[in-house]
Amino acid sequence: MLTRKQHELLMFIHERLKETGVPPSFDEMKEALDLRSKSGIHRLITALEERGFIRRLPNRARALEVLRLPESANAGLAGPRTKGFAPEVIEGSRGKAPPVPAREPEPAEIAGLTVPVMGRIAAGVPIAAIQTESHQITVPADLVGGGEHFALEVRGDSMIEAGILDGDTVLIKRSDTADSGDIVVALVDDEEATLKRLRRKGGSIALEAANPAYETRIFGPDRVRIQGKLVALFRSY
């Protein structure tokens, strides 16, 4: 069972792929669903992927493939049954994407994988939420396991005692859950993104700095959404 927004996004992606062969951008999806930020689109895409309706294609930023449609949508697309006509509907495995055939990796994939850089993240006072892709970087393949990854440029000094400095680039594995003690990208009130250590305190969530000059900020659980967990960082000298 899909929520209304999940169903709307799935059908929007499906129709755009039928019309142009190219999936819509995050900005186009946000505008079509009348959402305030692209973080909501990230959550909807993750939910659709977990339910086996879409698949994010590896090593290609924002490339999407529709694996199946809800049964109600399939019935509507098929319409009245006519002689000699059989609608072509791709049915994926229930609840999971079909297995991808094994292939030999390309030389570029052995050397490294391309990851999108999605703007800047505050290691200090929260700044505007995650932006659109600004450019791409290549990271060692052994740093990127399963799942989707993206990178962010760090601004601020609130995580210096965790070894994260202003100007570093952090590699993030996209996830909407994290354990207490993980360093995460947290979205506050669907508007501000920050890089902090997550602490769970009873029914509240604390975003803890690694610099005594900054106070720990405590929020109700409905005000904080986890966007991903820190995997690695890169630094230029």
Side-chain angles (χ1 to χ4, degrees):
M1 179 70 69
L2 297 179
T3 66
R4 181 174 60 85
K5 286 293 186 183
Q6 289 168 359
H7 186 275
E8 288 178 2
L9 180 60
L10 177 61
M11 298 310 298
F12 179 64
I13 295 171
H14 173 69
E15 292 300 326
R16 181 59 62 88
L17 284 170
K18 279 204 311 181
E19 292 173 4
T20 67
V22 179
S25 68
F26 277 36
D27 281 320
E28 290 170 332
M29 289 186 272
K30 179 171 70 73
E31 182 177 349
L33 271 68
D34 194 27
L35 295 179
R36 289 189 303 168
S37 69
K38 284 185 287 296
S39 62
I41 296 297
H42 284 296
R43 290 193 295 274
L44 292 172
I45 287 177
T46 297
L48 289 172
E49 187 176 31
E50 289 174 348
R51 288 162 175 78
F53 288 97
I54 64 173
R55 177 173 61 187
R56 282 183 266 214
L57 302 180
N59 309 324
R60 294 171 57 189
R62 295 200 300 270
L64 300 173
E65 177 184 14
V66 175
L67 299 174
R68 65 188 180 100
L69 298 173
E71 291 182 4
S72 58
N74 289 340
L77 290 172
R81 195 176 292 272
T82 58
K83 184 177 181 181
F85 172 75
E88 295 183 1
V89 179
I90 300 174
E91 290 289 345
S93 301
R94 186 175 297 276
K96 63 177 69 175
V100 179
R103 64 175 179 84
E104 291 295 324
E106 299 293 334
E109 294 175 344
I110 297 174
L113 297 176
T114 300
V115 173
V117 179
M118 304 299 290
R120 296 176 177 178
I121 185 73
V125 178
I127 57 174
I130 297 173
Q131 304 164 20
T132 56
E133 177 183 333
S134 58
H135 59 285
Q136 296 183 337
I137 60 172
T138 300
V139 302
D142 58 359
L143 289 180
V144 182
E148 183 182 357
H149 293 71
F150 60 94
L152 294 165
E153 297 174 348
V154 175
R155 290 293 177 266
D157 61 357
S158 73
M159 297 301 289
I160 56 175
E161 292 189 3
I164 304 171
L165 309 182
D166 181 64
D168 286 348
T169 297
V170 289
L171 179 63
I172 305 295
K173 180 177 181 180
R174 194 179 299 281
S175 174
D176 57 5
T177 61
D179 296 325
S180 186
D182 287 343
I183 295 177
V184 302
V185 173
L187 188 65
V188 180
D189 294 332
D190 285 333
E191 293 181 350
E192 299 175 324
T194 188
L195 185 71
K196 292 290 185 291
R197 192 177 300 279
L198 175 74
R199 300 289 186 190
R200 299 191 185 277
K201 298 181 179 294
S204 300
I205 292 178
L207 299 179
E208 180 181 278
N211 182 337
Y214 292 84
E215 295 182 353
T216 297
R217 304 176 72 202
I218 300 177
F219 302 93
D222 58 330
R223 295 185 60 193
V224 177
R225 298 184 185 275
I226 306 303
Q227 304 294 288
K229 297 190 289 187
L230 177 69
V231 173
L233 67 83
F234 306 92
R235 182 173 300 152
S236 299
Y237 292 93

